[in-house]
Amino acid sequence: DPIFRISADSIFVQSADVAAYTLKEKEFPQTSRKKHNADRIFNRKLSPVCFKSKVADEDGIIRT
């Protein structure tokens, strides 16, 4: 059974999911989603508002 929740209660989880999904599509693009430009969403929408770390790579991502 689905559990319906108020969307405002999970806004931070939803935004983290969007950031993780778009970053994954940027790093590992799939051909089936490239026709919808899913591999470009992170660079166009999220990259300008993300914090850039001094220890990050050229994309601003801290890799371990």
Side-chain angles (χ1 to χ4, degrees):
D1 294 328
I3 299 172
F4 298 102
R5 302 181 193 270
I6 298 172
S7 183
D9 292 344
S10 61
I11 191 72
F12 293 114
V13 173
Q14 292 175 31
S15 60
D17 284 344
V18 168
Y21 174 78
T22 57
L23 181 59
K24 180 188 76 73
E25 284 297 319
K26 175 186 176 229
E27 294 292 311
F28 309 105
Q30 293 193 1
T31 308
S32 61
R33 290 189 277 262
K34 282 181 93 172
K35 69 179 180 180
H36 300 294
N37 293 325
D39 57 324
R40 298 181 186 166
I41 295 171
F42 186 83
N43 285 342
R44 286 188 284 153
K45 301 289 184 182
L46 296 177
S47 184
V49 296
C50 287
F51 175 75
K52 304 287 192 256
S53 174
K54 293 179 181 178
V55 296
D57 63 4
E58 65 275 354
D59 291 330
I61 300 168
I62 299 173
R63 302 180 190 274
T64 57

